[in-house]
């Protein structure tokens, strides 16, 4: 029987078009854009492995074949570079492939993050799971474990939904889901309100949700009946509000640094940061 405390599956919504990176994303999934030599999605998968997860569930769409090929062995390539100095450059991805399994399902229509997560139900089943949005790239150098590790630990204690948050300048609340809540422990809030991308004047706080979630399977039932919200899309923030009203959502101000690699500016910032870290 599955241990109630263990989170083993991680869902990666990866069906979006990545229009902010056109023309780069015309034929390449945005999740495959590299920061230095590693695709964004691989950073996310490595964060999930570090948190003890071993089953990666990826919601893809048309034109995303490169994702499946990346998390697979490339016999010709590996044969070609065997014994050369290049071999070590495949060590990390080989390690990823050896330590977890990957499964895929396709989101046929783009109807929002909530809809993408609901599409992943077929891969997740009836158990708690994590969600990573790969374009939020997180690094925890010098602080503690990875963001997802920190959240899994909290889940083991509290057994409810957890969203990662950070403080943003008030004028940027319209880029994020924003929460309001009561601080019950240091850096941990019991959420009592959340709004998707509010105008700064309507924002309940400056605590913005970033792309790390732990969700309980009840979220799927809620998503089934969640009506389209902001932008005419089914929003995970709206579904979580239903559970928050039942006291089932915590928000955690994580330790570490996060880069918004969904924007060109954030992507460049991440690239510089990781380059300086490695050189
Ligand atoms: C999504 C969520 C939003 C969250 C953000 C984090 O928005 O809808 O609530 O704050 O991810 O990156 P997106 O950036 O996909 O528009």
């Amino acid at each position: 029987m599955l241990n109630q405390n263990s989170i083993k599956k991680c869902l990666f919504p990866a069906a979006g078009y990545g229009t902010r990176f056109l023309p780069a994303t015309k034929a390449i999934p945005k999740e495959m854009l590299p920061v230095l030599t590693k695709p964004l999605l691989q950073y996310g998968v490595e964060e999930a492995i570090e948190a003890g997860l071993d089953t990666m569930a990826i919601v893809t769409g048309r034109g995303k074949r490169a994702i499946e090929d990346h998390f697979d062995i490339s016999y010709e390539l590996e044969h070609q570079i065997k014994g050369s100095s290049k071999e070590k450059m495949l060590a990390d991805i080989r390690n990823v492939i050896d330590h977890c399994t990957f499964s895929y399902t396709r989101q046929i229509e783009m109807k929002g993050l909530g809809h993408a997560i609901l599409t992943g139900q077929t891969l997740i089943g009836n158990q708690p799971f994590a969600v990573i949005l790969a374009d939020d790239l997180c690094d925890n150098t010098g602080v503690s474990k990875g963001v997802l590790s920190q959240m899994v630990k909290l889940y083991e204690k509290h057994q409810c939904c957890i969203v990662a948050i950070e403080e943003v300048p008030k004028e940027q609340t319209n880029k994020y889901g924003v929460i309001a809540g009561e601080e019950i422990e240091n850096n941990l809030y019991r959420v009592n309100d959340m709004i998707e991308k509010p105008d700064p004047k309507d924002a309940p706080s400056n605590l913005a949700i970033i792309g790390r979630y732990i969700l309980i399977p009840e979220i799927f039932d809620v998503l089934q009946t969640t009506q389209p919200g902001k932008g005419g899309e089914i929003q995970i923030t709206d579904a979580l509000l239903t559970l928050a009203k039942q006291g089932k959502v915590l928000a955690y101000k994580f330790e570490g640094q996060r880069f918004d690699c969904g924007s060109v500016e954030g992507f460049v910032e991440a690239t510089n940061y990781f380059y300086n870290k490695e050189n």
Side-chain angles (χ1 to χ4, degrees):
M1 213 183 105
L2 189 78
N3 173 357
Q4 277 287 94
N5 282 327
S6 67
I7 303 231
K8 288 292 165 201
K9 295 190 176 182
C10 190
L11 188 69
F12 294 87
Y17 296 127
T19 47
R20 272 189 278 177
F21 282 85
L22 283 170
T25 47
K26 196 170 164 231
I28 297 170
K30 69 168 174 168
E31 297 77 15
M32 292 301 295
L33 294 177
V35 167
L36 305 189
T37 55
K38 197 189 286 185
L40 285 174
L41 190 53
Q42 190 180 331
Y43 285 93
V45 169
E46 289 177 359
E47 186 182 324
I49 293 173
E50 190 228 15
L53 283 62
D54 61 11
T55 308
M56 308 302 151
I58 306 187
V59 178
T60 65
R62 285 177 290 280
K64 301 278 186 168
R65 269 278 311 274
I67 294 178
E68 294 182 41
D69 290 339
H70 185 71
F71 295 105
D72 194 355
I73 290 170
S74 169
Y75 285 105
E76 278 168 49
L77 178 64
E78 294 195 23
H79 177 75
Q80 197 73 33
I81 65 173
K82 202 170 170 50
S84 81
S85 60
K86 298 271 162 37
E87 204 174 359
K88 64 177 187 313
M89 296 185 78
L90 286 181
D92 281 358
I93 182 65
R94 192 66 207 230
N95 190 42
V96 163
I97 295 167
D98 288 346
H99 282 91
C100 55
T101 61
F102 291 85
S103 58
Y104 301 87
T105 192
R106 277 193 182 203
Q107 190 181 3
I108 307 293
E109 291 173 283
M110 299 304 123
K111 292 202 247 170
L113 179 57
H115 181 257
I117 291 173
L118 184 56
T119 303
Q121 182 177 17
T122 182
L123 304 175
I124 298 297
N126 188 30
Q127 57 182 279
F129 61 103
V131 176
I132 289 184
L133 306 184
D135 52 16
D136 275 333
L137 178 52
C138 294
D139 185 63
N140 60 308
T141 309
V143 279
S144 63
K145 295 210 145 212
V147 179
L148 202 60
S149 258
Q150 297 168 40
M151 293 170 76
V152 165
K153 199 158 164 231
L154 284 171
Y155 175 80
E156 285 165 1
K157 182 167 169 208
H158 297 278
Q159 306 271 311
C160 64
C161 295
I162 304 172
V163 298
I165 50 167
E166 74 175 13
E167 288 186 44
V168 296
K170 194 86 190 211
E171 65 274 13
Q172 287 181 21
T173 57
N174 59 359
K175 287 167 58 185
Y176 301 94
V178 177
I179 69 118
E182 177 202 345
E183 194 165 8
I184 55 168
E185 282 170 30
N186 196 20
N187 292 332
L188 189 65
Y189 298 76
R190 174 85 55 197
V191 176
N192 49 40
D193 195 12
M194 52 207 304
I195 308 179
E196 180 66 7
K197 304 198 172 99
D199 278 346
K201 65 175 176 14
D202 304 323
S205 75
N206 68 337
L207 298 172
I209 301 170
I210 65 121
R212 299 290 181 278
Y213 304 78
I214 288 182
L215 301 174
I216 55 175
E218 224 179 306
I219 196 74
F220 293 127
D221 296 333
V222 179
L223 280 167
Q224 295 275 8
T225 57
T226 299
Q227 297 303 309
K230 193 90 187 181
E233 298 186 328
I234 297 171
Q235 300 294 350
I236 189 65
T237 306
D238 295 342
L240 278 167
L241 177 59
T242 302
L243 295 181
K245 285 181 180 152
Q246 301 165 22
K248 293 177 180 167
V249 181
L250 297 175
Y252 170 58
K253 215 194 277 177
F254 64 96
E255 290 182 357
Q257 201 165 346
R258 163 248 173 201
F259 299 93
D260 172 16
C261 290
S263 74
V264 174
E265 195 190 10
F267 199 96
V268 171
E269 213 184 303
T271 303
N272 288 330
Y273 172 91
F274 280 89
Y275 184 78
N276 288 329
K277 191 179 131 182
E278 287 188 14
N279 289 280

